[in-house]
Amino acid sequence: MLGSYIPILIFIVVAIMLPVVGLAVGRLLRPSRPHGTKLMPYECGVDPEGDARERFSVRFYIIAILFVIFDVETIFLFPWAIIYDRLALFGFIEMTVFLGILIVGYFYVWKKGALEWV
Amino acid sequence: MTETLLVYAIIPFIKIAVIVLILSGAIAYLTLFERKLVAHIQVRLGPMRVGWHGLLQPIADGLKFILKEDIIPSKADALVFTIAPAISLIPAFVVFSVVPFGPPEMFEGLLRWSLGWFFDSATVESVAQNTLASGGFITDINIAVLFVLSVSSVGILGIILGGWASNSKYPLLGALRSSAQMVSYEVALGFSIIGVLLVAGSLSLVEIVQNQEKAHLWYVFVQPVAFALFFICGMAETNRLPFDLPEAETELVGGFHTEYSGFRFSLYFLAEYANMITISAVAVTLFWGGWLRPFPNVSWLAFLGLIPPVLWFLIKVFLFLYIFIWVRGTLPRFRFDQLMRYGWKVFLPVALGNVIVSAGVLLAFL
């Protein structure tokens, strides 16, 4: 059974070789003439103002947290979906309760305005 | 010993090498196809100079990418800046190791014939019987759907890291946007796949196609809502128009790859097109019967069987790629607040509803 993962490992190695070989060949062929102005971060032609890594909107953070909650939820649904034909009514009620809790949380998040993007 | 080596290393390696070559060629010509198609949608001609109707354009582009100077900005984090494009490209290829493009006995005849030259008949027979060697896929694992989801989301890291490592404002904004966007649409994408799994009862992509054959039905006809969600969210995951906010040229210059040049830039480019092909291939496998011909059980359509399964697979994938580009040529880009609203307030509830309704309806048939 584990044997069927060996081709995936081979594929990963081959896939890693692609960019590595490309970059190595390119290094031999392409010019390299660095220059202070050329290496400056792009900011519409003006000298860059301060550091780029400043504080950014907290909404990105909220979205990330919501993602973790919902994505873990989907992972729980995968095994349930696979054996649903054996679980039948029990599985349906169980999952309705499980999703019900999630949906209550979803509406709470919606009412709190975490999904608004102003 | 030779048998194990053949089944687990040599034959998979040959298949992988061929697929990587075909995939690279397909990606190169997909860029030309897109330019041509969009040009014709806009009543232009597109590339015409390099070769007949621009047929050599991708080769010229590739050469130019390799020959261009590779600039690493002075403020950038050199190490992360260097490996980020590779992180986004590698998963896009690796996903293909589990996507089936033909039936499990696809290469049986070819294997018997070619191995017969070198090995005794007992070895040839047992290798040809092994679906890992003779199947029209690189490997068939029992968690393929999870593998596709997890590996393809690694690609997002490449974009986030690239934008962060550039240490410039536009790439950082592009990277933030793309992380928020991909993360939002991945939730709906996951839920839409659950609908198929309910009907299919398997996580192996090969088995899902075989179950569609047994059920005499492509799953798009039982799960149309799930398919629509999968396709829209797939478009958002690949950063394609109308969801290409991470690289919105009019506001963010080039988005996350503003600071990238030369070959590294082309890696991001390749990754985007590879992801397009991946999403199309997965959609075809999950919803449109993979390598199956249309109406596999209608006898008077048996002449369709003359076209080999792998060609049916390619035709379907090509149709999806066409739709991808067609949508790009037709729809304008969303605003970011619209994008997030659709993701969280429209697609997510619809996907949740689809799971519950499908489970309920299925209950009546059990």
Side-chain angles (χ1 to χ4, degrees):
Chain A
M1 200 64 240
L2 276 178
S4 49
Y5 288 85
I6 296 173
I8 296 181
L9 289 179
I10 303 176
F11 204 131
I12 291 174
V13 173
V14 173
I16 290 174
M17 291 314 285
L18 279 179
V20 170
V21 169
L23 283 173
V25 171
R27 177 156 301 195
L28 301 174
L29 296 172
R30 64 171 177 249
S32 179
R33 285 186 278 277
H35 179 276
T37 330
K38 207 193 264 178
L39 298 183
M40 214 155 66
Y42 177 78
E43 212 167 302
C44 308
V46 197
D47 283 1
E49 187 79 25
D51 198 75
R53 293 165 186 167
E54 285 188 14
R55 294 194 288 176
F56 48 81
S57 174
V58 72
R59 294 186 185 282
F60 289 107
Y61 185 67
I62 295 172
I63 290 292
I65 292 176
L66 287 179
F67 164 70
V68 172
I69 297 167
F70 281 91
D71 214 39
V72 169
E73 212 84 11
T74 45
I75 296 302
F76 279 126
L77 284 173
F78 274 84
W80 166 79
I82 296 302
I83 55 162
Y84 184 65
D85 51 342
R86 272 160 275 165
L87 292 175
L89 188 63
F90 169 73
F92 181 69
I93 294 169
E94 274 281 302
M95 202 36 81
T96 318
V97 173
F98 182 64
L99 284 178
I101 297 168
L102 177 75
I103 290 168
V104 170
Y106 174 71
F107 279 113
Y108 173 76
V109 168
W110 188 324
K111 277 274 164 279
K112 275 282 174 186
L115 303 179
E116 307 295 330
W117 200 283
V118 189
Chain B
M1 186 57 217
T2 37
E3 191 195 318
T4 324
L5 205 63
L6 273 174
V7 170
Y8 290 107
I10 299 173
I11 295 172
F13 180 76
I14 295 170
K15 278 193 208 168
I16 288 165
V18 171
I19 284 185
V20 166
L21 283 178
I22 291 178
L23 211 53
S24 315
I27 292 167
Y29 275 89
L30 187 58
T31 60
L32 177 68
F33 180 62
E34 168 160 35
R35 288 173 72 179
K36 278 302 220 190
L37 195 60
V38 171
H40 284 288
I41 287 173
Q42 297 165 350
V43 204
R44 293 184 287 116
L45 284 175
M48 290 295 278
R49 301 279 171 156
V50 194
W52 185 74
H53 279 257
L55 266 184
L56 298 176
Q57 186 72 41
I59 298 167
D61 287 343
L63 277 177
K64 192 163 180 175
F65 275 134
I66 289 183
L67 294 175
K68 281 286 168 185
E69 184 170 358
D70 191 2
I71 299 167
I72 298 181
S74 50
K75 278 185 164 184
D77 183 329
L79 178 68
V80 182
F81 190 84
T82 312
I83 58 173
I87 293 178
S88 117
L89 178 70
I90 293 164
F93 273 87
V94 170
V95 168
F96 264 88
S97 54
V98 296
V99 177
F101 47 86
E105 66 283 359
M106 185 179 174
F107 296 118
E108 212 180 305
L110 183 69
L111 278 181
R112 270 181 223 276
W113 177 79
S114 58
L115 293 180
W117 296 92
F118 307 103
F119 303 100
D120 57 282
S121 59
T123 320
V124 172
E125 197 52 37
S126 68
V127 170
Q129 295 291 334
N130 195 325
T131 50
L132 190 60
S134 64
F137 39 79
I138 289 166
T139 184
D140 174 27
I141 56 176
N142 54 7
I143 52 155
V145 176
L146 284 177
F147 180 83
V148 167
L149 276 179
S150 51
V151 172
S152 60
S153 48
V154 173
I156 304 173
L157 286 180
I159 290 179
I160 299 172
L161 287 175
W164 178 259
S166 301
N167 201 356
S168 168
K169 281 163 193 128
Y170 294 112
L172 188 64
L173 285 174
L176 279 175
R177 277 187 179 189
S178 79
S179 47
Q181 166 185 339
M182 288 174 157
V183 138
S184 304
Y185 281 78
E186 204 168 298
V187 177
L189 190 83
F191 275 117
S192 72
I193 292 178
I194 304 270
V196 187
L197 296 181
L198 276 173
V199 197
S202 171
L203 280 171
S204 151
L205 287 170
V206 178
E207 252 174 62
I208 288 177
V209 178
Q210 284 170 333
N211 287 351
Q212 296 183 56
E213 195 173 9
K214 271 182 235 153
H216 301 182
L217 198 63
W218 291 353
Y219 289 149
V220 64
F221 298 113
V222 265
Q223 288 286 336
V225 180
F227 168 68
L229 284 170
F230 182 86
F231 196 60
I232 295 170
C233 297
M235 230 174 252
E237 289 285 302
T238 47
N239 286 333
R240 295 287 306 174
L241 268 157
F243 301 103
D244 72 336
L245 273 296
E247 40 190 316
E249 294 90 349
T250 41
E251 348 167 358
L252 290 182
V253 194
F256 60 89
H257 56 56
T258 304
E259 298 289 349
Y260 279 89
S261 57
F263 191 71
R264 270 185 245 282
F265 167 75
S266 80
L267 290 182
Y268 273 127
F269 212 68
L270 292 177
E272 184 184 325
Y273 285 87
N275 276 325
M276 261 169 85
I277 299 180
T278 309
I279 286 283
S280 307
V282 174
V284 164
T285 313
L286 287 177
F287 293 97
W288 293 89
W291 66 78
L292 303 176
R293 68 178 169 85
F295 308 108
N297 309 95
V298 182
S299 55
W300 62 271
L301 281 171
F303 65 90
L304 288 175
L306 290 175
I307 301 175
V310 61
L311 268 186
W312 278 117
F313 177 77
L314 292 178
I315 290 170
K316 291 177 196 171
V317 171
F318 181 77
L319 277 177
F320 274 99
L321 294 173
Y322 180 86
I323 296 172
F324 260 107
I325 298 167
W326 183 13
V327 167
R328 179 196 159 170
T330 313
L331 295 180
R333 181 183 293 138
F334 283 122
R335 232 169 41 219
F336 198 69
D337 60 322
Q338 292 173 328
L339 179 96
M340 298 309 277
R341 194 171 69 228
Y342 284 126
W344 286 100
K345 293 190 177 174
V346 180
F347 296 140
L348 182 60
V350 171
L352 265 170
N354 182 54
V355 169
I356 296 173
V357 171
S358 314
V361 173
L362 212 61
L363 200 61
F365 286 100
L366 281 177

